[in-house]
Amino acid sequence: MAETFSPTTNPALTGIKGRCPQCQEGHLFRGFLKLAPRCEICGLDYSFADPADGPAFFSMSIISVPALAFALWFQLAFEPPWWAHLLVTLPLTIIGCLVLLRPLKGWLVCSQYFHKAEPGSIDRQWHADAVSRRDEENKDQTDL
């Protein structure tokens, strides 16, 4: 009996849970951040997924504002020596970024599946047509 799977309709929630975007039951990750090669339930091959540096960028961008606000408050409220920031602010910033990495990576992978993302390509025919249109317009203007 062939099983039918219901692909995700909410890639953010499915990714945050670390679930397969096709069946929503299998695991997306093998380790903390390493993607599994395929889903153990439905067999979906995860080789299509390449979130690259996206999770790290979003994680650092999201955490940077609260971390800076905390560092300023800490400095203005207590006037600690510089090394106190290394012991307090730096670990909080790193931990905050690490906490967000896995859910963000799951979300981006599930979004790639949901939106059927593919590597970019150049539409050579469109460019050739655009060049010929431009040449026609230039020719018409010079004939005037």
Side-chain angles (χ1 to χ4, degrees), residues 18-20 26-40 45-46 102 105-106:
R19 297 295 182 186
C20 171
H27 295 93
L28 195 56
F29 296 100
R30 177 188 289 171
F32 179 65
L33 286 175
K34 185 172 175 70
L35 283 177
R38 65 186 38 81
C39 175
E40 71 271 11
D45 183 11
Y46 295 143
R102 184 178 167 120
K105 187 171 186 174

Side-chain angles (χ1 to χ4, degrees), residues 24 35 42 54 57 78 82 109-110 114 125 143:
Q24 301 179 57
L35 283 177
C42 68
F57 171 78
F78 301 106
W82 64 270
V109 168
C110 287
F114 180 77
Q125 185 60 46
D143 288 344

Side-chain angles (χ1 to χ4, degrees), residues 14-117:
T14 305
I16 288 170
K17 290 180 177 179
R19 297 295 182 186
C20 171
Q22 182 167 282
C23 68
Q24 301 179 57
E25 295 175 22
H27 295 93
L28 195 56
F29 296 100
R30 177 188 289 171
F32 179 65
L33 286 175
K34 185 172 175 70
L35 283 177
R38 65 186 38 81
C39 175
E40 71 271 11
I41 304 295
C42 68
L44 176 66
D45 183 11
Y46 295 143
S47 64
F48 69 88
D50 182 20
D53 293 333
F57 171 78
F58 286 123
S59 179
M60 289 185 298
S61 297
I62 292 167
I63 293 298
S64 65
V65 173
L68 178 61
F70 173 78
L72 288 173
W73 170 80
F74 188 53
Q75 181 63 40
L76 295 174
F78 301 106
E79 296 184 16
W82 64 270
W83 54 264
H85 284 286
L86 292 177
L87 295 176
V88 177
T89 307
L90 184 62
L92 286 175
T93 304
I94 292 170
I95 290 168
C97 288
L98 289 174
V99 165
L100 288 180
L101 273 177
R102 184 178 167 120
L104 287 171
K105 187 171 186 174
W107 167 56
L108 290 174
V109 168
C110 287
S111 291
Q112 287 178 342
Y113 176 83
F114 180 77
H115 295 289
K116 297 170 180 51

